[in-house]
Amino acid sequence: MAGPLAGLRIIEFAGIGPGPFCAMMLADHGAEVIRVDRAGREASGEDPARDILNRSRRSLALNLKDPRGIKLARELCAAADGVIEGFRPGVMERLGLGPDVLRAANPRLVYGRMTGWGQDGPYAQAAGHDINYIAISGALHAVGRKYGRPVPPLNLVGDYGGGGMMLAFGMVAALLHAQRNGAGQVVDAAMSDGAAVLMTMMYSLRATGRWEDDRESNLIDGGAHFYDAYETSDGKYISIGPVEPQFYRLLLDLIGLADDPAFSNQMDRSAWPAQKVRIAEVFRTKTRDEWCAILEGSDACFAPVLSLDEAPRHVHNRARGTFVDVNGTWHPAPAPRYSDTPSCPPRPLEHGAAVTENVLAAIGVAPPALDELRRDGIVA
């Protein structure tokens, strides 16, 4: 492995969404991540090589309903630096794999917990999904059109930004503390907490009277005519965002509105609705490619709105290597980048008999014992 986290070993108890994303982030940056799946779980039928969230790690399946499977899981954790789990509060404790048990055997262990509502609080035991977690943070209320419903921003804010990425940050911070002080700890990462943290700037603007608590009414929520996406004549879209006055003037010049008195006062909010109508008319006069020829690479703060199929092939993304082709599947490349400890290219999830043998051999399970565990369904 390469990357700044090389030398760290993390045990990931398989879950969905934000937990695997946290594990992917750590693996991308050099940690050895071993994913523990549940033996006997029905296969999804999907090609594991195309499951990008599970990339760059090894996997084995254990029967966690059997004491021998629990014993193997404990032994894996005893030889690890960190653990990631994403179950409801109390589930790991009932399995005998809670933080008190694992940290008693390995005091340096960092135990990362990924939930929607957190380990405590009135909602802690309730089911939920990204949309619910960002709803109580204020984030969902802020996204959408003024006279419409709030619009779910995919599951980027709760699951991935406020969840998996926040847990990855918390894990690295706690692992750094453990290396310096010899003591691990529990990292309680709640998506509702993380989504609230991602809204810090908006809460700051609200506190200083610069944010209206209504959708599409502010500088960067689609309220301003100069910060939005617009349709082009071919039914595609472009984005503009020239907030600074000099960039705004350049945009107006390039799209032919420099001499229009209706656009003379950039920050007159009362004029924004009419300005949006006019600028939308202008952008509908040309195709997306024609606007790219006029605006791309300028300081007008412009970019075409690309589909998931188009983005990996865009000239800037190709030059940067923002996406990498792994066995015919486009992967977003590991980010950020490091000058001295670059990450390895992503690789598909490794699983199968040889991987299981190798992982369990590292904790002292010899081939005859492994054969018995396989026969009894403890290891799949």
Side-chain angles (χ1 to χ4, degrees):
M1 299 299 293
L5 300 183
L8 292 173
R9 175 177 290 180
I10 308 294
I11 305 301
E12 170 201 2
F13 287 92
I16 60 172
F21 184 71
C22 171
M24 185 199 83
M25 290 289 295
L26 299 178
D28 277 353
H29 300 285
E32 177 194 6
V33 181
I34 298 170
R35 177 181 168 94
V36 177
D37 283 290
R38 295 229 181 173
R41 191 179 66 172
E42 187 177 343
S44 67
E46 296 176 356
D47 179 0
R50 293 184 180 275
D51 192 342
I52 296 174
L53 278 178
N54 289 336
R55 73 188 186 191
S56 299
R57 42 208 201 265
R58 294 181 292 167
S59 166
L60 76 163
L62 300 179
N63 182 353
L64 297 182
K65 294 181 179 179
D66 188 288
R68 288 173 291 174
I70 296 296
K71 181 175 181 291
L72 288 172
R74 286 178 180 170
E75 290 172 354
L76 286 170
C77 295
D81 298 287
V83 163
I84 299 169
E85 64 95 358
F87 303 109
R88 289 198 207 190
V91 169
M92 290 294 278
E93 282 82 355
R94 290 192 290 275
L95 285 171
L97 295 169
D100 291 346
V101 171
L102 298 187
R103 291 182 60 228
N106 181 1
R108 296 174 62 91
L109 188 71
V110 171
Y111 195 106
R113 317 199 80 165
M114 182 78 266
T115 59
W117 307 115
Q119 295 299 309
D120 52 34
Y123 283 20
Q125 289 296 334
H129 276 294
D130 176 286
I131 192 170
N132 312 121
Y133 312 138
I134 70 173
I136 70 162
S137 74
L140 182 59
H141 167 79
V143 181
R145 294 304 182 184
K146 191 176 185 68
Y147 300 109
R149 296 174 296 176
V151 176
L154 303 181
N155 58 340
L156 301 176
V157 177
D159 281 352
Y160 295 108
M165 196 169 291
M166 203 68 71
L167 178 58
F169 172 80
M171 292 287 292
V172 171
L175 288 162
L176 179 61
H177 177 270
Q179 287 192 343
R180 289 179 172 174
N181 299 282
Q185 58 187 301
V186 176
V187 181
D188 174 5
M191 290 173 242
S192 54
D193 294 346
V197 172
L198 293 178
M199 288 290 290
T200 298
M201 187 185 80
M202 291 73 190
Y203 278 107
S204 176
L205 292 171
R206 181 69 179 155
T208 55
R210 293 179 291 162
W211 187 272
E212 293 185 30
D213 200 15
D214 196 9
R215 287 183 292 283
E216 201 178 9
S217 301
N218 299 283
L219 192 68
I220 57 171
D221 67 352
H225 62 288
F226 52 85
Y227 200 95
D228 211 340
Y230 290 95
E231 188 176 9
T232 56
S233 65
D234 53 352
K236 297 180 181 179
Y237 288 84
I238 53 92
S239 69
I240 58 168
V243 175
E244 296 80 1
Q246 69 274 24
F247 300 154
Y248 177 70
R249 288 193 296 270
L250 176 60
L251 174 73
L252 295 180
D253 183 54
L254 290 173
I255 67 174
L257 293 176
D259 298 325
D260 190 330
F263 289 86
S264 60
N265 188 344
Q266 179 183 4
M267 294 301 174
D268 179 4
R269 293 188 178 220
S270 66
W272 285 357
Q275 290 167 328
K276 288 193 79 167
V277 171
R278 175 68 182 119
I279 208 167
E281 292 172 348
V282 171
F283 282 125
R284 277 196 295 267
T285 63
K286 299 182 188 300
T287 66
R288 189 183 69 181
D289 287 349
E290 288 172 330
W291 283 119
C292 284
I294 295 168
L295 296 167
E296 208 161 30
S298 75
D299 281 347
C301 302
F302 163 89
V305 177
L306 302 178
S307 72
L308 273 63
D309 290 334
E310 292 173 317
R313 296 174 172 82
H314 186 268
V315 60
H316 182 79
N317 292 335
R318 290 176 70 91
R320 289 274 299 168
T322 302
F323 295 86
V324 292
D325 185 331
V326 181
N327 297 341
T329 298
W330 285 114
H331 285 232
R337 307 174 188 198
Y338 306 96
S339 61
D340 296 341
T341 56
S343 300
C344 283
R347 65 185 193 280
L349 177 75
E350 298 174 25
H351 62 102
V355 170
T356 298
E357 242 177 79
N358 183 271
V359 169
L360 294 182
I363 57 171
V365 179
L370 178 56
D371 290 341
E372 181 181 340
L373 291 168
R374 280 182 173 141
R375 284 197 303 271
D376 294 345
I378 307 306
V379 174

